[in-house]
């Protein structure tokens, strides 16, 4: 019995930890949204989460070389929207352009990467909630 209780305590602590991190991330993300000039392209902070994805050019986001500069490339935050009515379904939109990646200061680099990773972190929670709700709706589907 103690083992089940310990697992429950650990799970509760982990969920609580994720929720605290999510709140902290959202606050940081909103600050970076203004600081990085993304608010000039996306008027409302919540609109950021209508994008299908947000990518980064000029800097690496891979675990092995996080933040590595891609020589000769330009640093840019790019949003991807999906338009099912359009002939070309996916469209890239530049949210912010920062010039040559090798000319970024270490702080600029960190802020840009933090924004993209923070957006992805929050988007993953929203996607999880979306599918959780769909699964709940599926329970009321007719079976005959």
């Amino acid at each position: 019995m103690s083992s089940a209780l310990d697992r429950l305590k650990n799970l509760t602590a982990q969920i609580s930890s994720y929720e605290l991190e999510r709140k902290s991330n959202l606050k940081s993300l909103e600050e970076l949204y203004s600081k990085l000039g993304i608010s000039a392209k996306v008027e409302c902070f919540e609109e950021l989460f209508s994008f299908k994805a947000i990518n980064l050019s000029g800097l690496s986001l891979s675990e092995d070389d996080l933040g590595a500069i891609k020589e000769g490339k330009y640093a840019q935050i790019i949003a991807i929207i999906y338009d099912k009515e359009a002939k070309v379904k996916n469209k890239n939109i530049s949210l912010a352009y920062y010039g040559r990646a090798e000319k970024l200061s270490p702080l600029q680099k960190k802020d840009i990467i933090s924004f993209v990773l923070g957006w992805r972190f929050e988007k993953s929670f929203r996607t999880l909630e979306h599918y959780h709700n769909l699964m709940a709706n599926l329970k009321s589907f007719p079976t005959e």
Side-chain angles (χ1 to χ4, degrees), residues 58-73:
L59 300 170
S60 174
L61 291 175
S62 81
E63 190 173 352
D64 297 336
D65 60 351
L66 184 63
I69 293 170
K70 297 178 183 175
E71 293 298 323
K73 299 286 185 179

Side-chain angles (χ1 to χ4, degrees), residues 26-77:
L26 265 174
K27 183 179 177 190
S28 174
L29 197 56
E30 195 160 8
E31 291 168 2
L32 290 170
Y33 157 80
S34 296
K35 182 178 180 182
L36 294 172
I38 295 165
S39 56
K41 291 270 183 136
V42 180
E43 290 181 24
C44 175
F45 176 73
E46 279 299 314
E47 287 178 28
L48 285 174
F49 302 103
S50 64
F51 296 122
K52 184 174 184 164
I54 289 186
N55 291 324
L56 177 60
S57 67
L59 300 170
S60 174
L61 291 175
S62 81
E63 190 173 352
D64 297 336
D65 60 351
L66 184 63
I69 293 170
K70 297 178 183 175
E71 293 298 323
K73 299 286 185 179
Y74 295 91
Q76 187 172 196
I77 297 174

Side-chain angles (χ1 to χ4, degrees), residues 15-126:
I15 291 169
S16 176
S17 171
Y18 281 148
E19 205 48 44
L20 290 172
E21 183 62 30
R22 184 179 181 190
K23 286 180 183 178
S24 173
N25 178 62
L26 265 174
K27 183 179 177 190
S28 174
L29 197 56
E30 195 160 8
E31 291 168 2
L32 290 170
Y33 157 80
S34 296
K35 182 178 180 182
L36 294 172
I38 295 165
S39 56
K41 291 270 183 136
V42 180
E43 290 181 24
C44 175
F45 176 73
E46 279 299 314
E47 287 178 28
L48 285 174
F49 302 103
S50 64
F51 296 122
K52 184 174 184 164
I54 289 186
N55 291 324
L56 177 60
S57 67
L59 300 170
S60 174
L61 291 175
S62 81
E63 190 173 352
D64 297 336
D65 60 351
L66 184 63
I69 293 170
K70 297 178 183 175
E71 293 298 323
K73 299 286 185 179
Y74 295 91
Q76 187 172 196
I77 297 174
I78 301 165
I80 300 169
I81 59 170
Y82 180 78
D83 182 356
K84 63 182 174 185
E85 305 298 322
K87 188 174 182 180
V88 176
K89 304 290 183 213
N90 290 327
K91 181 178 176 184
N92 292 351
I93 299 170
S94 175
L95 295 184
Y97 173 80
Y98 303 101
R100 294 187 73 84
E102 55 268 10
K103 292 189 177 185
L104 292 172
S105 73
L107 179 59
Q108 284 177 308
K109 226 168 72 164
K110 182 179 180 194
D111 285 347
I112 292 166
I113 293 167
S114 293
F115 176 82
V116 175
L117 293 179
W119 181 88
R120 290 178 177 184
F121 185 71
E122 176 58 24
K123 184 70 171 184
S124 68
F125 277 104
R126 292 178 186 221

